[in-house]
Amino acid sequence: MILADLAATHALGARLAAVAQPGDVIALSGPLGAGKTSIARGLLAALGLESEAPSPSFAIIQPYDVPETRFPVLHVDLYRIEDPSEAAELGLDEARADSLLLIEWPERLGANAWPDALHLTLDVAGDGTRSLTAQVPAAWRARWPLT
């Protein structure tokens, strides 16, 4: 799928918000500036967030709770995680019980983290458009908004 501009990236996030639910993991991969946070912002806005979501790069975890969003969401940026063991302290698996996890840089935890996650990978083309590749697990097939 090609995302032509920022509006298309936000729209994809909004489409994901319509089908995402607590307990889900959406893993966002791609180089710096590819649009991972833009997808998250579109999703969070569609879930009711009225202000622009900050990038969680420095905080690592940015939580959103009811009534700020329709249900709890943790926006997580693992860019600064150097070893998967560091992530255990974050308590993400426990938080997943009642929250949607939006994970940027999931590859920092290794290929076996969250096998049931929706994995979205963004690449930037020379003309500035983004191409999106999705790995859609069984838990998402009936809900995946782009089929």
Side-chain angles (χ1 to χ4, degrees):
M1 164 181 210
I2 300 297
L3 301 170
D5 53 25
L6 183 60
T9 306
H10 283 174
L12 172 61
R15 290 170 75 185
L16 290 170
V19 297
Q21 56 197 17
D24 285 339
V25 176
I26 299 175
L28 303 166
S29 297
L32 288 170
K36 299 178 295 294
T37 300
S38 295
I39 290 173
R41 286 179 175 147
L43 185 147
L44 288 161
L47 289 178
L49 185 66
E50 293 181 6
S51 59
E52 182 173 273
S55 172
S57 293
F58 294 104
I60 299 179
I61 297 177
Q62 180 66 47
Y64 299 94
D65 264 314
V66 175
E68 193 174 30
T69 51
R70 234 179 16 238
F71 53 78
V73 178
L74 292 181
H75 185 189
V76 182
D77 187 323
L78 299 174
Y79 183 74
R80 295 186 309 137
I81 298 293
E82 294 182 15
D83 186 275
S85 66
E86 294 175 46
E89 298 174 20
L90 300 176
L92 298 176
D93 288 327
E94 295 83 12
R96 182 180 179 185
D98 65 357
S99 300
L100 166 65
L101 300 183
L102 295 175
I103 308 289
E104 295 188 35
W105 301 95
E107 56 276 8
R108 301 283 190 184
L109 299 186
N112 296 326
W114 303 300
D116 61 337
L118 174 64
H119 284 269
L120 304 178
T121 302
L122 293 157
D123 287 305
V124 182
D127 64 359
T129 60
R130 273 66 174 154
S131 63
L132 175 83
T133 305
Q135 293 177 328
V136 183
W140 275 89
R141 285 196 189 115
R143 297 182 287 150
W144 175 234
L146 302 177
T147 56

